[in-house]
Amino acid sequence: MKQEKIVIIGNGMVGYKFCEKIISKKNDFDIIIFGEEPRRAYDRVHLSEYFNGKSADDLSLSTSEWYTQQGITLYLNDPVKEIDRNNRTVHSSKGLTVKYDYLIIATGSAPFVPDIPGIDKEGVFVYRTIEDLDLIRNYATHAKTGAVLGGGLLGLEAAKALIDLNLSETNVIEFAPRLMPRQIDSAGSGMLQSKLKALGLNIYTNKGTSSIEGTDRISALKFNDGTELKTDMLVISAGIRPRDELAKLSGIEVGTRGGIIVNEYMQTSDPSIFAIGECALFDHNIYGLIAPGYEMAEVAAARICNDIKTFKGFDMSTKLKLIGVDVASFGDPFTTEPDARTILFEDSHKGIYKRINISNDGKYLLGGILIGEAEAYNMLLQTVNNKILLPPNPEDLILGSRGGSAQSENAGLAGLPDEALICSCEGISKGAICNAVSEDGCESIDAIKKCTKAGTGCGGCIPMVKDLMLHTMKQNGKYVRNVVCEHFHLSRQELYDLIKIHNLKNYEQVLDNLGKGDGCEVCKPLVSSLLASLWNDMILKKGNDTAQDSNDRFLANIQKGGTYSVVPRIPGGEITPEKLVIIGQVAEKYGLYTKITGGQRIDMFGAHLSDLPLIWEELINAGFESGHAYGKALRTVKSCVGSTWCRFGLHDSVSYAIRIEERYRGLRAPHKLKSAVSGCIRECAEAQSKDFGIIATEKGWNLYVCGNGGSKPQHALLLAADVDSDTCIKYIDRFLMFYIRTADPLTRTAPWLNKMEGGMEYLRNVVVNDSLGMAEQWELEMQALVDSYQCEWKTAIEDPEIRKRFNHFVNAPEEKDPSVKFDEMRGQKKAADWTLA
Amino acid sequence: MIETTTNWFAACRVEDAVENGGVCVKCGDDQIALFYFTRRNEWYATQNLCPHRQQMALSRGMIGSAGEDPKIACPFHKKTFSLATGECLSGDECAIQTYPVKVEDGLVYIGLNN
C-alpha cells in the first residue's frame, strides 16, 4: 500500500498539535509542513513572557530534531501560495510543488487592522508574532509613551508588554464602553479598570479613533470626540481576522465575514481539505482560544484515521492573569433574570468582583465572572460543565471559607465524575489524571504532565491537577507527608500544639489521648522529641525511656557490631591540655578508637553497653558533659580562633561560639542542629553551611540560617545583618522555636525553608519583624528550656534504675556481649565488617 | 510448636524486664530478646539477632503495632518483625525465631525447644 501524504499549511500551535495527534494515532503518513514564519511552532499564548526574560527557544514547542525523528518534512519561511484541488497539489512561494492526499489548513489569524487614516505611519505595530515583538522592543527603546488600540483580552496583554518595556506611560483605548466586552459585564469591567489604573495604566473607553497624527512617524491619536492623545508608539489589538485568503483563492467556501467553513469533522467544502484553529468557521463562530484549536486538531486527526469524533462547539470559559489581576469568565457569564438568578459580591477595597448565575430553582450553576481573585475558577467551571448540584447556600462558592472550606473543596473534587474535563487544552479527564497517579505512579506535576500532557497548554488547570493528585494520593494512603503514622492522624505541628494544650508528659499519655493502637518506631521517637522540646524532662524518665530511639535510649550512638560511641561536649572546639589528657586516658582504659569529628570534638568508638556509665562517670568527674551526639538536638557550634589570636579576626568568635553552644546544648529539635561562628569574612568556620551560622562584621554579626550539608547541600541565607550579640541570640531563639514548632518530622532547616511559603522573606518577617506576634513567647519558651537544662549522663549515672539498663544481659549483668568482634587497622581497633546472611 | 515445648527457661524476674521494651536474656550460648509489652499486657520472646546485618540488637529496639500485629523494629536499620509470628514486615529479610513466654510467681520463663 502506498504511503498517504498529509500536507499541513501553517506551523502554529494548532498545526503542531495536529502533528502530535496524528502521529500518536497512526505513524505511517508522509507529513509535510509549510510554515510562513521563520521559526518552528511556538507558544503564542505566553508570548508576552518574551518581554520578561523568556527567549524564543523557551517558547518553542519542540526541537528541530523532533521533526526529523518523526520523519516530518518541515519547510519554514515558505508559505503556500496556491492550492490546486484538481491535481491535489500545493505550490509554495519558493517554488515547491507537493502532492497531498489530505490537506490541513492551519493558517490561524492575523490581527485586524482598522482602516484609520495614518495607520501606516512608523511606530504603529501589531501584536502577533515574535517578529512583531522584536520590532516593538526595538522601537520602544526611544519611545517614552505608548498606546494600545483595543481593550480586549489581547489588547491588555499587549499593554502589559509595553509596561514590561518600561515605557513611562501606557494608554489603552477601547471603542466599546468597557474593557473585555466579550467576557465580562460592566460592573466587572469597572472593577478591572480601577485595578489597572492603580497599576499605572491609563484607560479610555468609548473612544473611537479618527486618525493617527504625525509626519512620518506617529505622534498622536485623534478621537471622534475631538480630543487628542500624544503617543510615541501604538500597538493595534482590535481583534483577529481569520487567514482564509488561500482557501478563498482555491474556491473553498468561506463565511461572509471571513473564516473557512467547516463541518463537525473539520472538513471544508472539499472533503479532503480540513481547516483547524482560528482560520476555521464552525457554526458561524471563530474560536480564538487555544483549547478549542487543540480539540479541532484532535477531531481532524481522528477523521483521517477513520475514528469517529465530532466538534461540538466549545466552552469559551477562560481565566487569565492580566497585568497581575486575575480575570475569569465561565459558562454563560451574562445571563440574567428572568432566565437565571444572580449572586454578586463586590469589594472595592480589595478590588474583588464576583458574580455567579444560578438556575431559577437554585440547583445548577450556569456561569459567572471573577475579577481580582479567581482561585475558585476551576471548581466553578467543573460545577457548570458537570451539572453538579449546588449546595444549599450557593453564595459559599464565591464567599469562600467561612469554616471547613478545605473539606468542602475536597468533597467537590471527589464529587466530580471521572469524565469531567480537567485540562481542556489537551482534553484530559479527571479519570485519566487519577489513573496516572494510581496506576503509573505519577506523584508530581511534572510526572503527570509527562504522562498525560495535562497542564501543558495554557496551564490554567495546574492547581486543580495538583489538588487531584494530592487527593488521589491521600485516597491511596500514599500522601503521608503531614500525618505522623497509623497511630497518629495528625501532623507533627498539630501534635506539638495538642501535647502542649493538654499538658501531656509522657509517651503513653500522648498515645492514649491523641492516638490509637500501640505506637511504632516512627511515632515514638517523634513524640519523645516533642516532649523534650516542650518540657525538657530527663529523656530516660520512666515511661519515656523505651519510647526513645535507640541512640537516645542509651545516650550514645550505636555503631556497627553493637558497640557505642562517646562524644563529650567541647564547646566551640576549645579544650585544655588537661582535658585532652583525660580523653586519652579514658579511651586507652576502655580500649576505644579515637577520631576528631567534623564538629571540632573527639569521638571515642567501640564502647560496650555496660562500659558506658563507667566511661561517663570518669568524664563527668573531669568536668565533661554529654555532647548529645546521639540526639536530634544541637550538636556543635564550630568556631575559628577569632580575634584573640588571628591577625584578621574582628571579634572573639570562640567566646561567642561557646556562649551559643552552652545556651542551646541539649535542645531537642525535629532534626539535628549544627552551628558555627566565624570571626571574619574569610569564614574559616564554614558558618554558611550550618543551620544557623554567624559571621563577624565591622559592626557586629551577620546571622545566616537554613544551611545544610548532607546529600543535598545548601548554603545558609542572610537573616539579619550587623546585629549585636544579644540581638543575634534573640533572633536565634525565635528562629529555633519557630523551626521546632512547625517543621515536619526529620526535616532539617534547609528543606523546611524550601517548603515555606514566602521563603526567606516570610521567615525574616516572622523572626525579625515579629509578624506573628510570637517573638516574646518564643524567647520565654527558649529561656525556660535553657534554664531547665541538665546533663543527661550526669542524671543517668546517679540513678541506679537507669544505670541498670546499661547491661547487655538482664540475667548476667556482669557479662559483655560475646558476639562483639573487632579488627585492627593503623594501630587502632575497628568494628568487624557486616557479616551477611 | 508450642505443644512440643518442654523446657521452660527461667529468664528473669518481672521487675527486671523493661516496661514496653526489651531486655536480652543469656541462654547458654544463645541470646534471646524478651519483650514486656505492658500496654497490651503481653510477653514475647524472639532471637536477639537481627537477620538483616547479623547484629545482636533486637532487644534494644522499639516495639509497637502494625494494625493489630505486635512488632519489633531493629535499632540498626529499622527492619520490623512481627513479635507474634517472627515474619519480617519490612522488605524480604527472613523470619526470626519466636518463643513462648509464661509468667509464674513473679518469674518470667521462655519456652525452648529441646
Side-chain angles (χ1 to χ4, degrees), chain A residues 460-667:
Chain A
C461 62
I462 284 177
M464 190 160 223
V465 172
K466 190 173 175 198
D467 286 346
L468 261 181
M469 175 185 84
L470 295 179
H471 175 72
T472 311
M473 284 165 74
K474 256 183 203 163
Q475 266 188 332
N476 296 348
K478 267 185 180 167
Y479 179 63
V480 290
R481 183 176 71 88
N482 277 326
V483 181
V484 170
C485 66
E486 64 171 274
H487 306 104
F488 291 96
H489 284 261
L490 295 165
S491 68
R492 182 186 174 279
Q493 185 178 353
E494 288 163 337
L495 254 180
Y496 178 98
D497 291 336
L498 288 168
I499 291 171
K500 190 174 178 190
I501 291 163
H502 294 289
N503 201 30
L504 304 173
K505 293 294 171 69
N506 64 49
Y507 177 76
E508 292 285 302
Q509 277 180 5
V510 175
L511 186 56
D512 289 342
N513 280 280
L514 305 173
K516 61 171 194 183
D518 301 309
C520 68
E521 71 281 1
V522 174
C523 60
K524 280 185 169 183
L526 188 148
V527 169
S528 300
S529 163
L530 291 176
L531 288 166
S533 292
L534 277 165
W535 317 121
N536 214 13
D537 283 337
M538 163 64 181
I539 62 168
L540 297 186
K541 229 168 141 176
K542 197 166 159 114
N544 278 344
D545 50 352
T546 51
Q548 303 293 342
D549 213 338
S550 177
N551 285 355
D552 269 323
R553 182 171 168 202
F554 297 105
L555 304 177
N557 296 47
I558 194 167
Q559 304 290 355
K560 212 154 97 176
T563 61
Y564 289 86
S565 64
V566 172
V567 187
R569 185 167 298 290
I570 301 176
E574 180 184 81
I575 187 166
T576 61
E578 291 76 17
K579 277 187 158 177
L580 275 176
V581 170
I582 300 286
I583 288 182
Q585 284 169 342
V586 168
E588 203 166 31
K589 178 168 171 187
Y590 293 93
L592 306 176
Y593 165 86
T594 51
K595 185 177 187 308
I596 311 286
T597 71
Q600 301 187 333
R601 39 197 199 174
I602 299 169
D603 204 339
M604 292 171 266
F605 291 77
H608 280 276
L609 184 61
S610 53
D611 283 342
L612 287 175
L614 302 171
I615 292 169
W616 275 107
E617 206 156 31
E618 295 199 22
L619 290 172
I620 286 168
N621 286 339
F624 285 101
E625 62 177 356
S626 169
H628 297 95
Y630 44 81
K632 303 297 181 215
L634 178 84
R635 297 282 170 85
T636 75
V637 181
K638 194 175 165 180
S639 71
C640 70
V641 74
S643 59
T644 49
W645 290 93
C646 177
R647 67 188 195 283
F648 297 115
L650 295 171
H651 306 313
D652 180 0
S653 48
V654 180
S655 298
Y656 198 43
I658 292 172
R659 179 176 169 195
I660 290 170
E661 182 156 347
E662 290 186 338
R663 179 169 182 82
Y664 301 115
R665 62 189 167 184
L667 177 71

Side-chain angles (χ1 to χ4, degrees), chain A residues 2 39 47 72 100 149 358 363 394 410-411 417 451 486 522 545 568 600 636 658 772 822:
Chain A
K2 94 176 202 339
R39 303 169 195 279
L47 199 58
I72 296 173
Y100 67 84
L149 196 64
I358 63 173
K363 281 186 177 166
N410 264 346
C451 181
E486 64 171 274
V522 174
D545 50 352
Q600 301 187 333
T636 75
I658 292 172
L772 298 180
F822 297 110

Side-chain angles (χ1 to χ4, degrees), chain A residues 486-487 508 511-512 517-521 524-525 542 546 548-550 553-554 558-559 561-562 564 609 804-805 808-811 815 817-819 834-837, chain B residues 9 11 15-26 31 37 39-40 51 53-56 59-67 71 73 75-78 80:
Chain A
E486 64 171 274
H487 306 104
E508 292 285 302
L511 186 56
D512 289 342
D518 301 309
C520 68
E521 71 281 1
K524 280 185 169 183
K542 197 166 159 114
T546 51
Q548 303 293 342
D549 213 338
S550 177
R553 182 171 168 202
F554 297 105
I558 194 167
Q559 304 290 355
Y564 289 86
L609 184 61
K804 187 168 124 184
R805 297 301 165 207
H808 183 65
F809 291 118
V810 66
N811 56 343
E815 282 185 45
D817 180 358
S819 71
W834 300 116
T835 43
L836 299 176
Chain B
F9 179 82
E15 62 266 30
D16 291 334
V18 173
E19 287 190 10
N20 291 309
V23 292
C24 177
V25 176
K26 180 179 163 70
Q31 299 191 17
F37 213 141
R39 185 177 171 82
R40 296 160 65 117
R53 291 292 188 188
Q54 308 287 306
Q55 300 288 308
M56 280 296 183
S59 61
R60 298 179 201 170
M62 278 178 281
I63 59 173
S65 63
K71 65 172 183 176
F76 272 90
H77 305 95
K78 300 275 158 67
T80 53

Side-chain angles (χ1 to χ4, degrees), chain A residues 192-304:
Chain A
L192 177 63
Q193 202 170 324
S194 57
K195 285 215 95 166
L196 295 178
K197 266 186 185 160
L199 293 166
L201 213 57
N202 302 321
I203 292 163
Y204 302 91
T205 54
N206 268 325
K207 286 269 182 206
T209 308
S210 54
S211 66
I212 294 167
E213 301 296 305
T215 42
D216 293 324
R217 51 176 59 191
I218 178 171
S219 62
L221 293 170
K222 258 196 179 150
F223 302 116
N224 291 338
D225 58 9
T227 55
E228 208 183 278
L229 177 75
K230 288 211 178 318
T231 188
D232 297 333
M233 62 190 295
L234 176 70
V235 177
I236 301 205
S237 181
I240 56 168
R241 186 178 53 76
R243 294 281 301 271
D244 58 4
E245 63 276 7
L246 183 64
K248 212 178 200 170
L249 197 75
S250 325
I252 296 169
E253 248 184 88
V254 298
T256 44
R257 285 193 290 166
I260 307 165
I261 296 173
V262 292
N263 63 14
E264 70 266 44
Y265 306 112
M266 312 320 300
Q267 283 164 309
T268 64
S269 55
D270 178 335
S272 53
I273 300 179
F274 295 71
I276 55 178
E278 288 178 325
C279 64
L281 183 71
F282 175 78
D283 196 18
H284 310 290
N285 278 311
I286 296 283
Y287 291 84
L289 291 179
I290 191 59
Y294 281 5
E295 174 70 11
M296 289 177 182
E298 165 71 25
V299 169
R303 179 70 189 176
I304 290 170

Side-chain angles (χ1 to χ4, degrees), chain A residues 74 85 122 130 137 218 221 226 240 293 310 313 383 387 404 516 532 600 608 617 619 621-622 634 687 715 729 757:
Chain A
L74 174 64
R85 287 166 54 208
E122 222 183 295
I130 288 186
R137 177 155 61 186
I218 178 171
L221 293 170
I240 56 168
T310 56
T383 307
K387 297 206 164 40
K516 61 171 194 183
Q600 301 187 333
H608 280 276
E617 206 156 31
L619 290 172
N621 286 339
L634 178 84
H715 276 139
I729 281 181
E757 237 175 89

